[in-house]
Amino acid sequence: MPKKRIDFTETVLRDAHQSLMATRMSTNDMLPIVETMDKARYFSLECWGGATFDACIRFLGEDPWQRLRDIRKRTPHTKLQMLLRGQNLLGYRHYADDVVEKFVEKSIENGIDIFRIFDALNDPRNLEASLRAVKKNKGHAQLTICYTISKVHTIQYYQDLAEQYEKMGADSICIKDMAGILTPYTAERLVKAIKAHISVPLSIHTHATSGTAQMTYLKAVESGADMIDTAISPFSEGTSQPPTETMALSISEGPFTTTLEMDKLEEIADYFKPIRDRYIESGALAPKMMGVDPKALLYQVPGGMLSNLYSQLKQAKATDRYEEVLKEVPKVRADLGFPPLVTPMSQMVGTQAVFNVLAGERYKMVPKEIKDYLRGAYGKTPVPVDEAFRRSIIGDETVITTRPADLIAAEFDQLKKELGPLAKTDEDVLTYALFPEVGKSFLEKKYQPPQDEQDSKIRIKAVL
């Protein structure tokens, strides 16, 4: 009997460094090894989306579209994959359907093959526009179940959601365990239940945060999962994914096979080791993020959220209150109707937890995003929010019950007009749409003439 092939998605170019060091890896550190990665025979390279876009323009001074094009040039044989937040795209609000369609179109044009599309609340209505756009532009739509634990998030709930996603037109389905809380035997039951009711491939994504990830992957694969996410060893474990090499070797010992070239994986690992060490020495990668914390099973905090929380507290000179903030996170989550802790909800819940702890009074300070969430602007909450709590935050404001994007008028042309002469390409407009202030500032620097040209203009003006 032929062995079943298990496909691997490599995360080192996106989620691994997002989870370990708040998405600070530069394009220059990626490109020298990308051609080798293209020869390693991965199913896909996750290299874009998530927080990479924000980090590129906000912290690294890089054009994320150029990063994608540069990676695409070097990967003729491997599918490129991105993480897309449904109607939120890569920003922190819902966008009009025309912006969603344009973003997907340009992402495919610049090199993306596979879109892992999720909604932070598992509200299928928020996936409709991006799914349509991916299908229209001949991309692969992987609809995503954000895994979390609460009184409503049962195996039956996830099974029903998977069936609904397949009916919507998903090319594959992903169980996204962003907090590393999917334990091995639960994974076995969950995968078996879902695989019994869908015909498309099933991918599993988890994090090594709690120490169960490798066991979880093995049980998931044995139960019928078709694909797993891993990170090359120097950027694996801790808040990242299990190591690619270890999982490939372990799985191949059983009734499974992979397409991976082990000699290429070794070469990739050797390349990333000094890069990891350099980021540790610079302080960008805190060794704390590379350890195991079984408390993640209690706090249900994703890897990327952990590194960002630590970064926030470091800026506030309050890292000694890290454990206190972690204990506050599940309390805030319960208040908000048990949303899965994935972007943008992870950032919103995390920021509120930090505010609650540092202010010394719960909900004394409430960000606009939390107020919008309580108004229904992000979609339907998994569990109804206590009405007294809601009103204590938003007063008498009307609560949205329809698909939030139905209330947003077409906006791409208006955004282009606002951006003015900086709108040299549709990609520039999308950068501005996602991050208006930071995006505009980035574009101003991008199109600023070279210094010698500026000096020449100043001299000419002085002469005149």
Side-chain angles (χ1 to χ4, degrees), residues 144-169:
T144 305
I145 295 167
C146 294
Y147 179 79
T148 190
I149 300 169
S150 80
K151 58 188 178 183
V152 299
H153 292 97
T154 62
I155 285 183
Q156 187 64 53
Y157 167 91
Y158 291 124
Q159 178 188 307
D160 292 344
L161 197 56
E163 289 185 73
Q164 184 175 355
Y165 284 172
E166 182 168 24
K167 286 175 185 172
M168 288 170 68

Side-chain angles (χ1 to χ4, degrees), residues 197-218:
H197 291 85
I198 65 170
S199 59
V200 295
L202 180 65
S203 178
I204 310 295
H205 170 96
T206 191
H207 290 253
T209 318
S210 68
T212 66
Q214 293 178 34
M215 294 181 284
T216 295
Y217 272 161
L218 190 57

Side-chain angles (χ1 to χ4, degrees), residues 325-381:
V325 169
L326 286 184
K327 289 177 182 176
E328 178 65 13
V329 166
K331 296 175 186 175
V332 172
R333 181 170 172 257
D335 292 339
L336 298 180
F338 294 98
L341 290 179
V342 64
T343 304
M345 289 312 306
S346 53
Q347 285 86 345
M348 289 158 60
V349 170
T351 298
Q352 187 64 65
V354 169
F355 283 0
N356 286 359
V357 167
L358 297 187
E361 181 184 332
R362 303 187 79 228
Y363 302 104
K364 182 178 181 179
M365 297 167 60
V366 180
K368 176 184 180 296
E369 291 80 7
I370 294 288
K371 292 178 181 177
D372 287 343
Y373 169 84
L374 290 170
R375 287 195 302 105
Y378 286 86
K380 185 180 179 183
T381 60

